[in-house]
Amino acid sequence: MPKPRVLFVCLGNICRSPLAEGAFRQAASDAGLEAGADSAGTANYHVGKLPDERSIAAAREHGVDITAQRARQLAAADYTRFTHIFALDEDNLADIRARAPKDATAEIALLMDAVPGQEGEAVADPYYGGPEGFQQTWREVRMAAEALVARFTR
Ligand code: 4NP
C-alpha cells in the first residue's frame, strides 16, 4: 500500500482535529507506520492559531505535544494532496463533500466509521464545555487512530 496521507477535519481546527492528528501521529509512530498527517477546519475563524489550550493539555497528558500545529482552513488542494480526509462530525462531512473539486481523489469519510460499533457517530464538539470533554474527545480520536493504523498496516 502506498504511504497514506491523512487529513482530519473539524469546524475550527483548534479542538478536535488537532487531537485527532496528534493521536494518529502517535499511533502510527508506535506501530512503525510511515504516514502523512495534518488537520484543517471547514471554517476560517481561527486560522494561524495554536490548538485550544484544553486540547494541548489533554494531548500532553497522553504524551503527545501538539503545540507545533497551527489552525488552517480546508483547501481545494487537500482533496488531491491527501489519500484520506476524515470528518469529525456529520456537518463537517457534508461541508467537505460540498466543497470537493471535480478532480478530488481523496477518500472522504466520517472518522468514527473506522471504529467497529461506532459507525455513524460524531466526535462531539467540546469547545463550549469543560476540560473533561477534551478527555472524551481524546479517547474517541485515539480509538479511531488505532483502528486506522491497524487498517493501514494490514
Ligand atoms: P473544533 O471546535 O471544530 O473542534 O476546533 C470549535 C472551535 C471553535 C469554534 C467551534 C468549534 N468556534 O465557533 O469558534
Side-chain angles (χ1 to χ4, degrees):
M1 190 190 287
K3 176 175 145 178
R5 301 184 304 278
V6 181
L7 181 68
F8 300 95
V9 177
C10 63
L11 177 63
N13 191 210
I14 57 167
C15 295
R16 292 167 292 173
S17 59
L19 284 176
E21 178 187 339
F24 181 79
R25 286 181 184 279
Q26 181 189 47
S29 165
D30 287 351
L33 172 71
E34 264 196 67
D38 195 7
S39 61
T42 57
N44 64 0
Y45 316 139
H46 299 285
V47 169
K49 285 195 205 159
L50 277 159
D52 187 287
E53 62 189 23
R54 296 163 296 177
S55 283
I56 292 174
R60 187 172 284 143
E61 278 182 49
H62 298 280
V64 179
D65 180 5
I66 61 169
T67 60
Q69 296 189 34
R70 296 295 179 274
R72 71 172 181 88
Q73 190 174 22
L74 178 67
D78 290 326
Y79 292 83
T80 45
R81 281 179 53 214
F82 292 91
T83 55
H84 298 76
I85 301 177
F86 292 112
L88 277 282
D89 69 30
E90 304 82 348
D91 288 342
N92 308 146
L93 183 63
D95 286 340
I96 295 163
R97 290 217 164 107
R99 293 183 208 174
K102 284 201 171 56
D103 66 346
T105 49
E107 179 188 320
I108 298 167
L110 190 67
L111 180 64
M112 294 309 282
D113 281 354
V115 181
Q118 301 201 35
E119 297 91 347
E121 291 184 14
V123 176
D125 189 348
Y127 185 63
Y128 294 103
E132 67 288 346
F134 288 72
Q135 290 298 332
Q136 176 66 22
T137 302
W138 174 266
R139 284 194 291 276
E140 292 172 359
V141 299
R142 174 73 205 187
M143 264 193 297
E146 284 172 0
L148 291 177
V149 167
R151 184 200 293 176
F152 291 137
T153 51
R154 260 204 296 271

